[in-house]
Amino acid sequence: MKAIVHEGKVGLDGLSIKEIQEPSLDSNQVKVKIITAGMNRRDLSVVTKRHGAEDPLLVPGSDATGIVEEVGEGVTRFKAGDEVVLNPGTGWETNSDSPPEGFEIVGFPDQGTFAEYICQSEKYVEHKPAHLDYDQAGVLGLAGLTAYRALFTRGKLTKDQTVLLPGIGSGVLTFALKFAKAKGARVIVTSRSVAKKKEALSLGADRAIDTHSDWNEELANESVDLLLESVGAATFNQSLDIIRKGGTIVTFGATTEDEVTINIRKFFYGQYNLLGSTMGSAEEFKEMIDFVATHQIVPHLDRVFSYEEYLETFKYIEESKNFGKIAISFSSL
C-alpha cells in the first residue's frame, strides 16, 4: 500500500511517499480503507522531534475516516462497507481523571493513519456521523475529542456560561467554539489576525478581540467563567487576570514557551481552578461523536490536500496558516 512515511532524515526532509506492506488483521480488529486523514500539529511535532537515521520507518497521522474493508474474528459492531471514524487514542476505554498506563496516541510510537489502510480494535472505532462527508469526518477525532473533554468533562461548561478562547484558529479551538455555542454558552475569542477574528464571528463567536489588547479593558463588562488556555507563556497571565474569581482555566497545550510564572498569592486569593487536559477516553470519544450528530455540527475545514501534497501539508500547519482543520485525501487511491 502507499503511505506517507518518515525515515532516514531529520524533520520534514525525512518525509516521502513509499510502498509498504499492508497491516495484517487480528481478531477483534477492523481493517479500514482510509478515505481522508486529518492533519494535526502533533503530527508535525512527531516528525520534527525524530532524530534521523536511527529511527525506524514511521507512518505518522492520528485522525482518519474511511470504509471497513474486512472484520476480524470476534468483531460484533461493524461489517464490511460500514463508514467509520477512528479514535486517535488507544488504551483509554472509560472516562477517568487521567489516562491510564498504556494510553497511546495513534501515529507514534505505533503506525498511523497517513496510509491506504489501517487495522484497529473495534473498541477504538465509531460509525461516521451521517451528516458529515469524508473530508469533514476525517478531521474530527483528535481535535474534537480534545475540545470535548476540555470543555465538558474538565471545564464543566453549562448553558449560559461565558467561555474565552485565546488564540482562535486551531482545530481544537474551532471545535470548542462550535461545541460551546451548541451547548448554549457565550463565546469570546482572541486573535492577532483580523481575518481570524472575522472568521470566528462568522462561526458564531459573540465577541472577538485582539490578543495584544488589554483584555480587562476590552472585556470590562464580561464575566468569564471558563477559559481554554493553549498558548502558554505568551498569554497565561492575561488569562489568569481575566477569569472571574472562582473561575476555571483548562490548559491542553502550549504553542509558546512551556514554563509560566504566576503570582501564587493572587491565585489562591482568587479561588481559581487550574486544570490540565489531554485528549480523552473511548467513552468520551463516543459521547463527542453523538454530540456532533445530535447538534449537526460540521468541522470547519480550512483546506484539503491530496496525499501527493504531503510536504506542502506539513509546511502549511508549521506556518499556522490554517483557520480550522486540514485534511489529507486518499480518495484517489
Side-chain angles (χ1 to χ4, degrees):
M1 68 174 182
K2 282 188 170 62
I4 299 169
V5 303
H6 185 259
E7 62 172 345
K9 296 180 181 179
V10 176
L12 302 189
D13 290 339
L15 289 167
S16 65
I17 294 175
K18 191 171 184 177
E19 285 282 348
I20 64 173
Q21 186 173 354
E22 288 186 17
S24 57
L25 187 66
D26 292 334
S27 59
N28 299 311
Q29 285 189 332
V30 296
K31 182 177 183 180
V32 178
K33 178 175 175 57
I34 293 174
I35 306 298
T36 303
M39 166 65 77
N40 293 287
R41 187 162 289 276
R42 178 182 186 271
D43 306 320
L44 174 67
S45 179
V46 165
V47 165
T48 54
K49 290 180 180 178
R50 279 160 58 87
H51 299 298
E54 66 271 29
D55 293 315
L57 180 146
L58 176 73
V59 177
S62 303
D63 283 339
T65 188
I67 301 170
V68 174
E69 186 159 288
E70 188 180 353
V71 300
E73 183 180 353
V75 171
T76 59
R77 298 174 54 227
F78 302 98
K79 64 183 185 303
D82 283 350
E83 298 179 327
V84 295
V85 179
L86 273 70
N87 183 339
T90 62
W92 188 1
E93 295 184 33
T94 58
N95 189 17
S96 57
D97 289 341
S98 62
E101 288 292 327
F103 170 69
E104 290 182 355
I105 301 175
V106 175
F108 183 78
D110 294 334
Q111 305 295 11
T113 59
F114 292 173
E116 288 185 72
Y117 296 99
I118 193 169
C119 292
Q120 186 59 279
S121 167
E122 68 170 335
K123 294 186 294 187
Y124 306 116
V125 179
E126 296 295 337
H127 290 280
K128 179 177 77 65
H131 72 286
L132 299 182
D133 64 28
Y134 286 118
D135 290 343
Q136 294 161 347
V139 301
L140 181 57
L142 190 148
L145 178 57
T146 300
Y148 186 88
R149 179 175 171 85
L151 277 177
F152 302 127
T153 305
R154 302 292 281 158
K156 308 294 185 187
L157 181 69
T158 60
K159 182 181 178 181
D160 299 326
Q161 285 190 323
T162 295
V163 59
L164 178 60
L165 307 175
I168 192 68
S170 72
V172 176
L173 291 185
T174 52
F175 275 117
L177 167 56
K178 292 195 172 196
F179 290 176
K181 292 305 297 180
K183 189 72 173 179
R186 180 171 174 80
V187 179
I188 304 169
V189 305
T190 86
S191 178
R192 296 171 299 174
S193 164
V194 172
K196 288 184 178 182
K197 285 186 289 184
K198 288 182 178 178
E199 191 74 18
L201 291 169
S202 75
L203 294 181
D206 296 280
R207 292 188 67 177
I209 65 171
D210 193 298
T211 302
H212 292 316
S213 68
D214 183 329
W215 296 3
N216 281 301
E217 183 177 317
E218 291 276 1
L219 303 177
N221 60 335
E222 302 280 0
S223 177
V224 178
D225 303 288
L226 174 65
L227 186 148
L228 299 194
E229 172 59 60
S230 61
V231 179
T235 59
F236 190 87
N237 278 290
Q238 281 179 292
S239 296
L240 189 57
D241 282 343
I242 196 62
I243 199 80
R244 69 165 174 82
K245 289 185 177 180
T248 299
I249 296 175
V250 178
T251 177
F252 62 87
T255 54
T256 60
E257 296 177 39
D258 293 350
E259 295 186 8
V260 298
T261 300
I262 66 170
N263 183 324
I264 194 64
R265 189 172 299 277
K266 178 180 178 180
F267 183 84
F268 63 69
Y269 271 123
Q271 305 284 315
Y272 300 112
N273 305 296
L274 176 60
L275 304 173
S277 190
T278 301
M279 294 278 287
S281 64
E283 180 181 357
E284 289 164 301
F285 186 74
K286 185 180 187 310
E287 289 175 3
M288 183 271 292
I289 294 290
D290 291 343
F291 186 87
V292 166
T294 297
H295 295 281
Q296 297 287 284
I297 293 170
V298 177
H300 189 72
L301 263 177
D302 179 276
R303 187 168 171 183
V304 181
F305 293 87
S306 71
Y307 74 95
E308 295 99 334
E309 298 173 302
Y310 64 92
L311 190 56
E312 186 179 354
T313 311
F314 274 84
K315 288 180 178 178
Y316 193 78
I317 199 167
E318 183 179 41
E319 296 169 8
S320 298
K321 290 182 176 180
N322 58 301
F323 184 97
K325 292 298 298 177
I326 304 166
I328 301 175
S329 175
F330 289 85
S331 61
S332 62
L333 290 172

